[in-house]
Amino acid sequence: MRVVVIGAGIIGAACARELARAGCEVVLLDRGGAAAGTTSHGEGNILISDKEPGPELALAQLSRDLWPQVLAEPRTGSLPAGRAGHANTAGRAGHANAAGGAGHANAAGRAGSSDAAGRAGAAGRASRRSAAGAGGPGRRAPRAEAEVAEWEPKGGIVVATTAAGATALAAFAAAQRAAGVTAVELDDDAVRAAEPHLTREYTAAVHYPDDAQVQPAGAATLLLGDAVAAGAQLRTGCAVTGPVCTGGRLAAVRTEHGTVGGDAFVNATGPWAGAVSAALGAPIDVRPRRGEVLVTTPQPPTVFHKVYDADYVGAVASDEAAVQTSAVVESTRGGTVLLGSSRRRVGFADAMPVAVWSAIAAKALRLFPGLAGVPVMRAYGGFRPFVPDHLPVIGADGRLPGLWHATGHEGAGIGLSVGTGRILADLICGRTPPIDPVPFSPNRSAIGGLR
């Protein structure tokens, strides 16, 4: 079977990896460079803590189990002869976008590599020594392999700052525990040991040892390398412009460089998936949702886990188009501190209003007052793929045979990528996925599928 994957971000790379390893002939197309879009503008979150019991939590748990396995696999350290030049060029471009360069997109990406990605050093080690601890035995990938994607299972701490927030957090954590999540309520001594600089004006704190982090573009490049090593072809600078249908079935896609045929076509274009699906004749309701993060100058060890206010969960699940901000604070390997986050639906407008920065900073200071006066040296932002019912879109489109989707993960795509790739490949190859894929179907009415 020949499968064409459209979009070489981390979701497309994960899908291409699984499909190529399953024996499919895979062609991976991207209009730009690999991992150069939403992936390179992310923080690399692999979170369990913000998922309520249900399908997305099941996908997050599957992915959290898969990540150490993926990272621990032996690799040659180079791409196969005959493909290395093309794939490595794309891979380096994706990582370079995340590491630095020129222009607005790369300002976002610089934080992606040195800031959003680098949370693997002293802060993470201190986290593992803290009273809150970190993941249990068997949850870590071997260090040598984990370094490829800068894997850091440092855990997360969710904090409530009001009485109502404490009640809601306790109920949320209890429901998660019933679904198999490790969520440990911390007393004051444990909080002080885990996060000595955290405000004392909190009303509850819960530790999630299975929360983790990767460098997003690095992780995507790793998955892409696995796909290419298994035989996948990567074509960058190759935008899809329309469909070629035969007998009511999608048989090929038109691109800027000619027609590419296949037996199945996977729309893995993130926040652009709505436009791509419309261009192919089967639109789904996926829209961009803008977010920003502030980056401080390097600081002494200050934050040792991913720490966020409990209202972040509500912001993630909100349908509001207007700007919403929640306190999310974490340190990086280089000592910088990331302050987030925001959510607003403004199309693909990439302006970053100072008012949004101010709101982010104010909420971060509520959690870590000692950051007052610390210089912010830059800000970055990007677009998440938002869907109205807040569930990823994974599976076959019933309106157009041959078309499949893997998108709509909003801000969770890095963490959910490997589970998404496994589910999609199982469906395409006629295997039974490890979790129920029905809730993610593209044919649900909430996203404009079959009614």
Side-chain angles (χ1 to χ4, degrees):
M1 175 181 287
R2 179 179 169 92
V3 184
V4 179
V5 179
I6 308 167
I10 198 163
I11 297 294
C15 292
R17 176 186 188 273
E18 291 287 338
L19 288 162
R21 289 187 166 203
C24 297
E25 179 187 352
V26 177
V27 179
L28 184 59
L29 309 178
D30 198 282
R31 67 176 185 174
T38 293
T39 295
S40 68
H41 295 70
E43 294 182 69
N45 292 328
I46 299 175
L47 299 184
I48 299 293
S49 57
D50 63 343
K51 312 292 191 301
E52 66 180 2
E56 189 179 29
L57 176 59
L59 179 56
Q61 291 169 313
L62 169 65
S63 296
R64 180 58 178 83
D65 288 340
L66 289 174
W67 266 113
Q69 299 173 31
V70 168
L71 294 168
E73 292 180 0
R75 293 177 173 85
T76 63
S78 61
L79 296 177
R83 299 188 188 94
H86 186 65
N88 273 337
T89 298
R92 283 195 299 270
H95 194 77
N97 267 346
H104 175 75
N106 285 339
R110 283 194 297 271
S113 177
S114 61
D115 301 313
R119 292 158 286 258
R125 289 190 291 273
S127 162
R128 294 191 291 278
R129 294 193 299 267
S130 74
R139 301 295 288 183
R140 295 180 58 93
R143 192 66 179 174
E145 296 295 342
E147 282 292 340
V148 176
E150 299 184 16
W151 167 261
E152 183 54 41
K154 63 183 176 182
I157 295 179
V158 183
V159 178
T161 55
T162 65
T167 300
L169 177 58
F172 187 78
Q176 289 178 308
R177 283 192 288 271
V181 174
T182 301
V184 182
E185 294 184 9
L186 303 180
D187 60 22
D188 289 344
D189 289 342
V191 171
R192 281 192 289 272
E195 291 293 344
H197 303 288
L198 182 67
T199 179
R200 297 295 173 254
E201 302 299 320
Y202 64 87
T203 54
V206 178
H207 176 235
Y208 290 86
D210 287 334
D211 281 359
Q213 206 86 15
V214 291
Q215 201 286 331
T221 302
L222 179 74
L223 298 177
L224 177 62
D226 287 349
V228 171
Q233 302 174 41
L234 172 65
R235 302 180 188 177
T236 56
C238 190
V240 170
T241 59
V244 176
C245 295
T246 302
R249 180 180 184 86
L250 185 60
V253 290
R254 294 188 179 92
T255 78
E256 295 174 327
H257 303 291
T259 299
V260 181
D263 302 299
F265 300 82
V266 180
N267 174 16
T269 53
W272 295 273
V276 170
S277 62
L280 295 177
I284 55 174
D285 190 0
V286 179
R287 316 171 205 171
R289 200 180 196 190
R290 179 78 178 172
E292 288 87 12
V293 173
L294 308 182
V295 186
T296 75
T297 55
Q299 301 298 307
T302 303
V303 187
F304 303 101
H305 300 75
K306 187 178 186 73
V307 182
Y308 63 86
D309 195 308
D311 67 3
Y312 173 80
V313 176
V316 171
S318 171
D319 294 323
E320 290 292 328
V323 63
Q324 294 181 297
T325 57
S326 302
V328 182
V329 184
E330 61 187 317
S331 291
T332 73
R333 173 181 292 178
T336 59
V337 179
L338 304 184
L339 311 177
S341 65
S342 65
R343 279 174 162 77
R344 53 197 177 96
R345 296 213 310 271
V346 291
F348 284 106
D350 61 0
M352 295 192 288
V354 173
V356 175
W357 299 353
S358 297
I360 291 172
K363 290 197 172 182
L365 289 175
R366 289 178 57 193
L367 291 187
F368 288 90
L371 293 175
V374 171
V376 171
M377 63 180 180
R378 61 178 173 266
Y380 69 94
F383 300 99
R384 309 175 181 94
F386 168 86
V387 292
D389 63 357
H390 305 285
L391 283 178
V393 184
I394 308 168
D397 194 311
R399 299 165 299 177
L400 182 58
L403 176 61
W404 298 70
H405 302 280
T407 185
H409 301 78
E410 199 169 325
I414 304 298
L416 301 181
S417 59
V418 290
T420 296
R422 179 66 56 86
I423 291 171
L424 186 85
D426 283 345
L427 291 172
I428 288 178
C429 296
R431 304 181 305 221
T432 301
I435 64 172
D436 183 8
V438 172
F440 309 115
S441 171
N443 303 310
R444 61 189 195 264
S445 60
I447 59 167
L450 291 172
R451 289 178 171 81

